[in-house]
């Protein structure tokens, strides 16, 4: 939810999210859930009950980063979880209309990246910041990196964009391992701003990598706190009964 990259691969893509969080915050590993008669797949925050990255069988991905365009104090308390917005976007057919209509008072600022490939591959950036919503359509064939505004200032974001360009975008024949190595890099800059970061109160606790290639959708979940890797091949292989 704090360092996110998108790399197109022909008709497919590699979408990867590093979650920077307090190590003591409990998380439930990725699993299938059925909501509004749809089959979803996502890891779950045990404290607030929401998620930072999720998939829908309707060929949609939504990933949330803390903060909008500007820094806000992450210690401030808000009454509603941002993570619940992710499942709302995944379960509503017209998610752009849903975002415009959804009531966000009491929800902390966020950036939500939505990738939809049901017909043609489309990617959007939905931002809630300073009480205003903004929707931006991005180029689906353009690699992107996002960094949370609650952890990285504008200068650091620009530096990380340069790292991404050099380490991933400019590499010949971008492969899954190239992207994974970038997200697991602890040495770029310093440990506090590297893709896999570590500070006194927060660190990269997991990496979720979603790969769509051919007709297969897979998820690899790297749990650094428990030193394990969970692999989920063909996430939606079983047809859901309606």
């Amino acid at each position: 939810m704090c360092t996110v990259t998108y790399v197109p691969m022909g008709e497919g893509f590699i979408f990867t999210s590093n979650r920077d969080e307090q190590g003591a915050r409990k998380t439930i590993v990725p699993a299938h859930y059925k909501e509004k008669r749809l089959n979803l797949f996502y890891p779950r925050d045990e404290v607030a009950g929401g998620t930072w990255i999720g998939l829908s069988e309707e060929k949609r991905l939504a990933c949330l980063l803390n903060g909008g365009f500007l820094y806000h104090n992450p210690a401030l308390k808000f009454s509603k979880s941002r993570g619940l917005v992710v499942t709302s976007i995944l379960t509503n057919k017209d998610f752009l209309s849903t975002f415009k209509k959804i009531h966000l008072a009491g929800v902390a600022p966020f950036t939500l990246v939505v990738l939809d490939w049901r017909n043609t591959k489309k990617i959007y950036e939905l931002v809630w910041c300073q009480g205003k919503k903004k929707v931006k359509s991005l180029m689906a064939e353009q690699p992107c990196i996002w960094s949370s505004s609650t952890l990285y200032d504008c200068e650091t974001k620009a530096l990380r964009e340069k790292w991404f360009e050099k380490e991933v975008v400019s590499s010949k024949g971008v492969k899954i391992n190239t992207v994974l190595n970038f997200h697991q890099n602890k040495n770029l800059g310093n440990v506090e701003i590297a893709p896999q970061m570590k500070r006194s109160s927060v660190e990269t606790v997991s990496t979720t990598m979603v790969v769509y290639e051919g007709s297969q959708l897979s998820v690899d979940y790297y749990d650094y706190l428990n030193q394990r890797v969970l692999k989920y091949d063909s996430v939606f292989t079983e047809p859901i009964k309606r």
Side-chain angles (χ1 to χ4, degrees), residues 85-102:
V85 177
V86 174
T87 52
S88 293
I89 294 299
L90 289 174
T91 54
N92 285 280
K93 185 174 182 180
D94 187 350
F95 65 90
L96 292 178
S97 177
T98 297
F99 177 67
K100 292 175 182 178
K101 295 178 181 179
I102 194 169

Side-chain angles (χ1 to χ4, degrees), residues 145 147 152-165:
I145 181 171
S147 300
Y152 307 101
D153 58 23
C154 293
E155 182 179 351
T156 304
K157 285 183 179 182
L159 180 60
R160 295 169 120 239
E161 288 174 3
K162 291 181 180 178
W163 295 341
F164 179 63
E165 176 68 30

Side-chain angles (χ1 to χ4, degrees), residues 5-142:
T5 65
Y6 162 75
V7 178
M9 291 194 306
E11 296 301 314
F13 59 83
I14 307 170
F15 193 100
T16 314
S17 169
N18 277 14
R19 189 186 193 206
D20 301 341
E21 187 54 88
Q22 298 174 6
R25 192 174 179 107
K26 295 183 178 181
T27 301
I28 301 170
V29 299
H32 286 92
Y33 299 90
K34 189 182 290 187
E35 299 184 27
K36 293 185 179 180
R37 299 178 64 83
L38 281 178
N39 195 19
L40 306 183
F41 185 80
Y42 57 83
R44 188 176 180 185
D45 181 87
E46 193 170 324
V47 178
T51 186
W52 61 98
I53 183 169
L55 294 159
S56 163
E57 65 172 333
E58 298 291 353
K59 297 185 177 181
R60 184 179 300 163
L61 180 155
C63 182
L64 183 141
L65 295 93
N66 291 345
F69 301 113
L70 305 172
Y71 172 83
H72 77 275
N73 187 348
L76 293 176
K77 301 297 182 183
F78 293 85
S79 59
K80 299 178 182 179
S81 170
R82 286 169 290 206
L84 299 176
V85 177
V86 174
T87 52
S88 293
I89 294 299
L90 289 174
T91 54
N92 285 280
K93 185 174 182 180
D94 187 350
F95 65 90
L96 292 178
S97 177
T98 297
F99 177 67
K100 292 175 182 178
K101 295 178 181 179
I102 194 169
H103 186 61
L104 293 176
V107 177
F110 63 80
T111 299
L112 189 64
V113 182
V114 181
L115 178 58
D116 191 290
W117 65 99
R118 184 172 176 83
N119 295 311
T120 58
K121 191 166 54 178
K122 298 178 181 179
I123 186 166
Y124 298 87
E125 185 181 273
L126 314 181
V127 180
W128 166 247
C129 185
Q130 295 186 314
K132 296 181 179 180
K133 300 174 184 175
K134 184 172 182 180
V135 176
K136 182 179 180 181
S137 176
L138 306 177
M139 293 179 61
E141 298 309 315
Q142 180 67 47

